[in-house]
Each structure stands twice: as C-alpha cells, then as structure tokens.
Amino acid sequence: MLFLRFLFFLIAVGALACAAGVLLYDVYLAFELSRLLQRRPRAAQQPVAEREAPALAAPPSRPAGPRRAIRWISAAKFSVIAAVSALLGMSIVVVPDGDAGVRISQISGVEPGTLYPGVHFIAPLFTRVELYDVRDRVFATAAGEGPREYRELLRVEAREGLSVGVGVTVRYRIDPSRLDYIQENLPEPLDEQIVGPVVTSTFRSLAPNYVVRDVFSTKREEFRERAAQMITKRLGDDAIVVKEVLLRKVELPAEFAKGLEGLLMKEQEDDRTSVDAEIEQKRVKIAESQAEAAKIHAEGDAQARVIQAKAEADAMQYTLPLKQKQIEQSRLEAEARKEATLKNSEAEAAAKVKNAEAEAQAKVIDSKAEQERRNLLADADANRIRVTSRAESEKLQLEAAALKANPLLIQKIVAERLSDKIQIMMVPTDGKFFFPNDVLRGMTTEDEPRAGNSK
C-alpha cells in the first residue's frame, strides 16, 4: 500500500507537470507565430527609402488574439488525472508499528474508533488522521541536584515540615481504545501537561501523612503503593494506563541525615547488646542442658557400673576357686623368678669380680710393658747418641785430615756457603792476607804440639 500511495502521488505530480508543460509550450508557440506574422506585412508595404530610413512612425497594432490555439482541454485532462491521483493517494493512510491513529473530520470533528497499525482508507480533504505513540513511556523525577540529575527535581514536605527529595519513575502508556477522548479533551504533550503534574501533586499530597523516618525506611513501600494507586486512578480517568510506579531514591536533609545516622548507630549498639545478651542466655541454656545431659549420663554410667558389679560378684562365686589357683600359681612363679634372679645376681657379681681382677692384672701387665718399652726407648736413644757422636767425631777427623792434606778445600767451602751473598771473590795468588791461611797455620801450630805430646 505504501508503494501504491507513492505511485498515486507520483502520477499526480507527473500529470500536473504535463499540464503545465502543454500550456507553456502552446503559449510559447502562439507568441512566436504572432511575432513572425507581424514582421512580414510591415516589410512588404514599406518602400526601399523607408526601409533604409529609421522608422519614426508608431508600430502597427497586433492582432487581438493568438494565431495558434492553446490546448486547454488536454491541460484540463492532465489536471483532472493529477487531482484524482492525489485524492487516491491521500485516501490511503498507513499507521506504523507502535502507533495508533484517530480520524478527525473537518465537518463533524473527532470520529469514534481507533486506527491500529496497518493500511486504512479515509475521505480525502474532509478527514485527516492524528497519530499517537502507544508504546510504553517513562516519566522520571530526580531526587537530588547532582550533575547527573538532569530531570525535574521533586521535593516534598514530610509531617515535620522537612523537605525531602524523592526520585520517582512512572512507566505508562496511552490507552489506544480511547484516542478519540484524548484528542478531544487532553492537552499536548501529555508528559508535561498531564503526567508530570499528577505525579508531583500526588506525592506532595501524600508526604505530609508520614514522618521523614517512615518515608525513608519503615513505611517506604506503603508510601509508594498508596502513591501508585492514586496515580493509576487519576491517570486512568484520562485514558493513560499506568503500569509501574517506582520510588528510586529518598534524599534526606543534611542535618536530619546526620542525626538519623547517630540514632541508627545507637540502635545498632542496642541491638548488638540485646543480641549479646540473647547469646549469653543461649550459652547458659546450652550449659544447663549439657550439665543435665552429663548428669543423666553419669547416672546411667553409675547404674551400669552397679549392674556390672553385681554381675561380677555373681561371677566371682564361680571364678573364686579358679582365681585362688591362679594366685597360687602366680606365687610359685614369682618365687621361681626370685630364685632365678638371685642366682643370676650372684653369677653376675662373681663375673664382675673376675672381670675386675682380670682388668687389674691387665693393667699391671700393661704398666710393666710400658716401663720396659720406655727403658728400651731410652737405651735405644743413648745408643743412638753414642753412635751418632762417634760418627760425627770420625767425620770431623776425616774432614780435618782432608783439609790438612788439601787446604784449598776451605776456600771452596767458604765460597759455597757464601755463594748466595757474594757473587765474585778475588783471592791473591800468593795466598797472603787471606784469613783461611792464618786459620790453617793456627791449626798446624796447634796440631804439632799435640803430636809431640802424643809421642
């Protein structure tokens, strides 16, 4: 239907364009033809001199009407086609989804009935359609003056006269079946003219019946329900269906909020004290029940022990002879163990004495062996010293004899012993002024008297 309506409007525009084109074209041709026809007779009647001279006379008069007929009938036909197409297109009304319409007659006013989404036909030029959005709408008020609270601020006064900020959200929709009533009686827009004033006045009329604390905590739901009932009833009379009324936020005055906070803290402390007292009472009851249970358990144990003692006493009458035999056997076993223990202790004492004597003898033998070892070591050391001294004496005699036979060995020995300190040694060739020669002479002079004495 949308395509058909567009097609009708397109045909109307095309027909109007054709009618205007035909008229304009015919007028243009008639004007051009008249101009040509007027120019030819003037050129034929004037002489040559007059043709060359400038024309001072008045121009000839034009014919009374156009020489070419204008096609008025064709233009009228195109106009009729355009009008009929436009009327057909205007008679088709398409209501989109989410909307509803109401017919308004230029003669009788608003017509009853609702045009729901779809295609509808109306009488063009006499009837028009007013569309309404019948989807859910939301009306919201702000509770505070923060940067995000861009909606209308709703302030109500409680019973104490304190100003309380209330954040309210109302979800509603227009009743499609009563669009004619809305069109005839209600102003537009409905949000500002109807819903807003009703919601605001309702909350402001109910708030003085409650104290601030009730609105904030205990009777908050009751306050919301009563407001929702009143708003639903008042807006329902105006063909507005209220689906939900929400009380989002309640903003208390600053001083009252501080006082309420302190009061709540005290109440919490009282509640905590009462809870602690209840816990203590429960603990006492639990202790009493535990004591009672322990008492019952002890009485049961005592009764069980009495019964067990009676049973044991009855059993002892039969088991006493057996017990006596067991006692006798235990006594005999104890005596046997005692005798065995005595014998074992005596044997252990004798063994300990023998071990002590053996250890003493071993110590004596060890001491004697140590003394002999020490004596042998002393003899060996003395013998080693004698042998060593004798060997050294013989070594000295041999060295003396060698030095006597070869005096230059002294220089060699001295040079070897001083080689790490003296790098170059200069000795006179004749052997004078060299201290080893003096030493050797001293030694020879000493040895000669010894040799004479020995002889």
Side-chain angles (χ1 to χ4, degrees):
M1 286 296 178
L2 284 175
F3 175 75
L4 185 60
R5 183 182 181 187
F6 176 76
L7 181 61
F8 282 143
F9 281 117
L10 186 62
I11 293 172
V13 173
L16 286 177
C18 291
V22 168
L23 291 176
L24 292 175
Y25 180 72
D26 290 345
V27 170
Y28 174 74
L29 290 180
F31 178 76
E32 290 293 330
L33 182 61
S34 299
R35 186 170 60 83
L36 292 175
L37 292 176
Q38 288 177 3
R39 184 179 298 176
R40 287 179 181 178
R42 287 170 53 190
Q45 292 175 3
Q46 289 179 354
V48 177
E50 292 180 357
R51 292 179 188 176
E52 294 177 355
L56 298 177
S61 60
R62 295 182 180 180
R67 301 292 180 92
R68 176 182 173 84
I70 298 175
R71 293 174 290 179
W72 295 104
I73 297 176
S74 299
K77 291 180 180 179
F78 282 117
S79 300
V80 171
I81 293 172
V84 172
S85 299
L87 291 175
L88 290 175
M90 293 172 61
S91 65
I92 299 175
V93 177
V94 178
V95 179
D97 293 335
D99 292 345
V102 59
R103 290 186 294 267
I104 301 174
S105 176
Q106 302 295 332
I107 299 174
S108 59
V110 180
E111 296 181 1
T114 301
L115 301 180
Y116 292 97
V119 179
H120 303 275
F121 295 95
I122 61 174
L125 301 178
F126 296 98
T127 306
R128 64 182 180 89
V129 175
E130 186 71 24
L131 296 179
Y132 287 88
D133 187 0
V134 295
R135 291 172 293 188
D136 289 352
R137 304 182 187 181
V138 176
F139 174 82
T141 62
E145 297 180 354
R148 296 185 179 180
E149 301 292 349
Y150 57 88
R151 300 184 181 91
E152 181 186 356
L153 182 64
L154 180 57
R155 288 283 181 179
V156 298
E157 292 185 358
R159 183 181 298 174
E160 301 92 334
L162 298 176
S163 179
V164 181
V166 181
V168 180
T169 299
V170 179
R171 189 163 66 94
Y172 66 96
R173 64 191 296 263
I174 298 174
D175 189 0
S177 61
R178 300 179 62 187
L179 290 181
D180 50 353
Y181 174 82
I182 295 173
Q183 179 64 29
E184 288 180 351
N185 301 287
L186 300 183
E188 290 289 341
L190 296 178
D191 294 344
E192 299 177 359
Q193 300 295 331
I194 303 296
V195 179
V198 168
V199 173
T200 304
S201 62
T202 301
F203 277 96
R204 287 177 178 171
S205 63
L206 283 177
N209 298 325
Y210 297 90
V211 296
V212 176
R213 187 174 180 181
D214 293 341
V215 173
F216 181 72
S217 59
T218 57
K219 296 183 179 181
R220 183 171 181 171
E221 184 63 24
E222 178 185 346
F223 178 63
R224 186 197 66 80
E225 288 181 356
R226 290 184 61 184
Q229 292 175 359
M230 294 179 64
I231 291 171
T232 303
K233 183 178 182 303
R234 293 177 63 179
L235 293 180
D237 296 338
D238 292 331
I240 298 175
V241 180
V242 178
K243 291 189 174 181
E244 189 175 16
V245 178
L246 300 177
L247 185 59
R248 302 190 321 275
K249 182 181 178 182
V250 177
E251 185 184 52
L252 300 177
E255 297 179 357
F256 185 83
K258 292 180 181 178
L260 182 60
E261 184 178 358
L263 182 61
L264 291 175
M265 293 296 293
K266 291 181 180 180
E267 289 183 355
Q268 289 180 359
E269 292 293 334
D270 295 338
D271 295 339
R272 185 181 301 171
T273 304
S274 61
V275 170
D276 293 339
E278 292 178 358
I279 292 173
E280 291 295 332
Q281 292 178 359
K282 290 180 180 179
R283 288 179 179 175
V284 171
K285 291 181 180 180
I286 291 171
E288 291 177 355
S289 61
Q290 290 178 352
E292 187 70 21
K295 180 180 178 181
I296 295 171
H297 185 67
E299 290 178 355
D301 291 341
Q303 292 178 0
R305 289 177 181 176
V306 170
I307 295 171
Q308 186 177 1
K310 290 181 179 180
E312 290 178 354
D314 295 336
M316 286 298 292
Q317 296 178 0
Y318 301 99
T319 58
L320 185 59
L322 181 59
K323 291 291 184 181
Q324 290 178 355
K325 291 181 180 180
Q326 290 179 355
I327 292 169
E328 186 67 23
Q329 184 178 358
S330 299
R331 186 177 62 77
L332 294 174
E333 291 177 354
E335 290 178 355
R337 285 195 297 271
K338 183 178 180 181
E339 291 178 357
T341 304
L342 291 173
K343 290 180 180 180
N344 292 331
S345 61
E346 291 175 356
E348 289 179 356
K352 289 180 180 179
V353 170
K354 289 180 180 180
N355 291 332
E357 291 176 354
E359 289 178 357
Q361 291 178 2
K363 289 181 179 179
V364 170
I365 293 169
D366 290 338
S367 62
K368 289 180 180 180
E370 183 68 21
Q371 186 65 30
E372 290 178 356
R373 187 180 67 80
R374 289 179 180 177
N375 293 331
L376 292 173
L377 290 174
D379 293 340
D381 289 338
N383 190 16
R384 182 179 59 78
I385 292 168
R386 285 194 298 271
V387 173
T388 304
S389 61
R390 190 180 296 114
E392 288 180 355
S393 178
E394 291 177 356
K395 179 181 178 183
L396 291 173
Q397 290 176 3
L398 291 174
E399 288 179 354
L403 291 173
K404 186 176 181 181
N406 297 310
L408 296 176
L409 291 174
I410 295 173
Q411 296 179 5
K412 179 178 180 297
I413 293 169
V414 172
E416 288 177 355
R417 291 185 179 182
L418 297 175
S419 62
D420 56 346
K421 296 181 180 179
I422 300 173
Q423 296 180 356
I424 300 172
M425 181 180 292
M426 299 180 68
V427 180
T429 58
D430 56 356
K432 295 180 180 181
F433 304 105
F434 188 59
F435 72 93
N437 294 334
D438 295 337
V439 175
L440 292 175
R441 291 192 189 98
M443 291 177 61
T444 55
T445 57
E446 290 177 358
D447 290 338
E448 286 178 356
R450 288 178 185 175
N453 290 333
S454 63
K455 290 180 181 180

